[in-house]
Amino acid sequence: MTKIDIISGFLGAGKTTLIKKLIAEAFQGEKLVLIENEFGEIGIDGGFLKEAGIQITEMNSGCICCSLVGDFGAALKEVLTQFKPDRILIEPSGVGKLSDVIRAVQGVQAEVPVELNSFVTVVDAAKCKLYMKNFGEFFNNQVESANTIILSRTQKTAQEKLELAVSMLREHNAKAAIITTPWDSLTGAQIREAMEKGQGLADEMLAELVREQEHSHEHENGHEHGHERCHDHHHGDDSSCGCHDHGRHHHHADEVFTSWGAETAHKYERAELEALLEDLADTTFYGTVLRAKGMLPSPDGAWLYFDLTPGEYEIREGSPEYTGRLCVIGSDLKEDELKKAFHLE
């Protein structure tokens, strides 16, 4: 029986960092496959994780609760047949709904020998309030559906702000284990233990999701966004189509978020990139930028890997890529200005 762990989290929460730590410290000796579900045209995280030698299956389009259910099952079967893994990690899109990913796994459990081991949400402690207020439909679903919530960047968060974040999370999920200790102070094995403590809770929450789904289908008559329309609608991402969320209007991620990405051979000076990232992180000149990531060459032969969330960014040197790649996710993005800024006109 292959274990499946789902590690979700809003844009830029730190899912990839957590996955690297777990692979290095908690899953040694296990045959492991990562299935990554990216929002946007370019699967940027593939480049980051390739450094760690991790096998990746990227699924870059489709709605996971509808048009991807068949593909999702096929992907799982292919992974199981080809790799016979002990464990599969699923990293959903940052703007996907965790409840839909759980349902997608449930949907194939009868056909393939898999066990849903844990479903985790990574939350940036400093941005919890911001995201809950502005993007609650997506963010809160991830929080409410998790059996373990792992706070990131707690070492950089003031105690008062950290406690407020925990309090807000508890309003949406009273039962999940919440990890507040900085990751550097914990071993991967400790984090895994916390994730798996929720196994009993996981079963309980799965049962709740099933009841919720059955209840929603009893009230779906006259709902304007039924399954038939959903299948006809093209989703440019892997988020919820709202099929299971009847009774109120729910948005597709592609109605709320824009993903803009590009490949480029342009070489970027570090100082120039820093100035641009400062603008992206601290102003709305380019729209509301929630996440930016990329690997770009510089004139001195180094490769600059950058990672940005509102108010902060980092640049580090990484291994060469086949070409420069970058991706920006946000709302009301000014693509023409972004193209100018990154010399892509």
Side-chain angles (χ1 to χ4, degrees):
M1 185 72 76
T2 299
K3 291 182 177 180
I4 291 186
D5 297 279
I6 304 168
I7 299 179
S8 72
F10 202 64
L11 298 158
K15 299 187 297 292
T16 304
T17 304
L18 176 67
I19 287 170
K20 282 184 175 181
K21 182 175 178 72
L22 289 170
I23 288 169
E25 301 176 17
F27 302 141
Q28 307 101 319
E30 293 188 19
K31 187 179 277 189
L32 184 143
V33 171
L34 171 70
I35 295 180
E36 191 183 36
N37 233 295
E38 264 305 315
F39 174 82
E41 295 170 10
I42 299 175
I44 285 291
D45 278 339
F48 281 85
L49 287 161
K50 191 169 70 181
E51 292 184 317
I54 300 163
Q55 176 67 42
I56 294 173
T57 301
E58 285 183 312
M59 296 182 289
N60 278 336
S61 62
C63 163
I64 200 162
C65 70
C66 287
S67 60
L68 247 190
V69 167
D71 292 343
F72 189 81
L76 273 184
K77 285 176 193 171
E78 185 183 329
V79 162
L80 287 163
T81 303
Q82 190 174 345
F83 299 106
K84 298 182 172 57
D86 302 308
R87 186 184 302 267
I88 294 173
L89 298 181
I90 298 175
E91 181 185 0
S93 157
V95 293
K97 291 186 177 177
L98 177 55
S99 60
D100 288 319
V101 186
I102 292 169
R103 286 191 188 105
V105 174
Q106 278 182 289
V108 300
Q109 275 186 305
E111 303 172 54
V112 290
V114 293
E115 171 196 351
L116 192 49
N117 188 52
S118 67
F119 25 101
V120 174
T121 293
V122 183
V123 172
D124 184 330
K127 298 187 173 70
C128 175
K129 185 177 179 181
L130 171 74
Y131 292 158
M132 200 172 276
K133 180 182 175 186
N134 294 312
F135 302 100
E137 179 183 330
F138 300 89
F139 182 83
N140 292 345
N141 178 275
Q142 294 177 359
V143 170
E144 290 160 3
S145 304
N147 73 325
T148 307
I149 298 168
I150 302 179
L151 291 178
S152 62
R153 304 185 177 94
T154 56
Q155 71 276 24
K156 297 179 181 176
T157 308
Q159 187 64 28
E160 189 179 330
K161 196 167 190 177
L162 178 60
E163 290 177 11
L164 176 63
V166 171
S167 171
M168 293 178 79
L169 293 168
R170 278 286 175 233
E171 287 177 16
H172 289 272
N173 191 327
K175 297 177 181 177
I178 299 182
I179 296 179
T180 58
T181 304
W183 299 356
D184 290 347
S185 304
L186 296 171
T187 65
Q190 285 175 300
I191 295 174
R192 186 185 71 177
E193 187 182 341
M195 287 163 54
E196 292 180 342
K197 266 183 183 169
Q199 275 184 312
L201 172 63
D203 294 337
E204 183 183 323
M205 293 179 74
L206 284 170
E208 281 177 16
L209 280 172
V210 171
R211 284 197 299 273
E212 198 178 278
Q213 189 175 351
E214 289 169 352
H215 178 73
S216 71
H217 281 297
E218 289 170 11
H219 293 83
E220 70 182 348
N221 289 342
H223 181 63
E224 67 176 278
H225 186 184
H227 275 69
E228 186 178 353
R229 179 178 165 214
C230 177
H231 282 295
D232 290 338
H233 179 75
H234 171 71
H235 296 285
D237 64 294
D238 58 359
S239 70
S240 167
C241 66
C243 289
H244 302 291
D245 299 305
H246 301 287
R248 59 185 177 179
H249 179 64
H250 283 248
H251 298 91
H252 306 299
D254 56 6
E255 292 176 327
V256 180
F257 305 100
T258 307
S259 171
W260 174 81
E263 296 188 347
T264 176
H266 185 84
K267 289 184 167 57
Y268 298 80
E269 296 280 0
R270 188 182 183 109
E272 175 195 18
L273 183 59
E274 280 185 357
L276 174 53
L277 294 180
E278 276 183 26
D279 283 347
L280 285 174
D282 296 323
T283 73
T284 55
F285 180 77
Y286 298 100
T288 303
V289 177
L290 293 167
R291 191 84 169 93
K293 204 172 207 181
M295 311 88 155
L296 300 170
S298 67
D300 62 6
W303 275 76
L304 304 175
Y305 282 46
F306 70 85
D307 209 325
L308 176 146
T309 57
E312 60 184 317
Y313 67 88
E314 67 171 357
I315 299 174
R316 63 184 178 85
E317 290 196 7
S319 53
E321 275 288 316
Y322 64 88
T323 191
R325 294 192 290 160
L326 61 109
C327 186
V328 179
I329 297 176
S331 57
D332 303 317
L333 292 182
K334 297 174 184 171
E335 294 189 13
D336 289 343
E337 296 296 339
L338 284 167
K339 284 178 187 172
K340 277 186 206 168
F342 282 99
H343 306 283
L344 293 169
E345 284 190 316

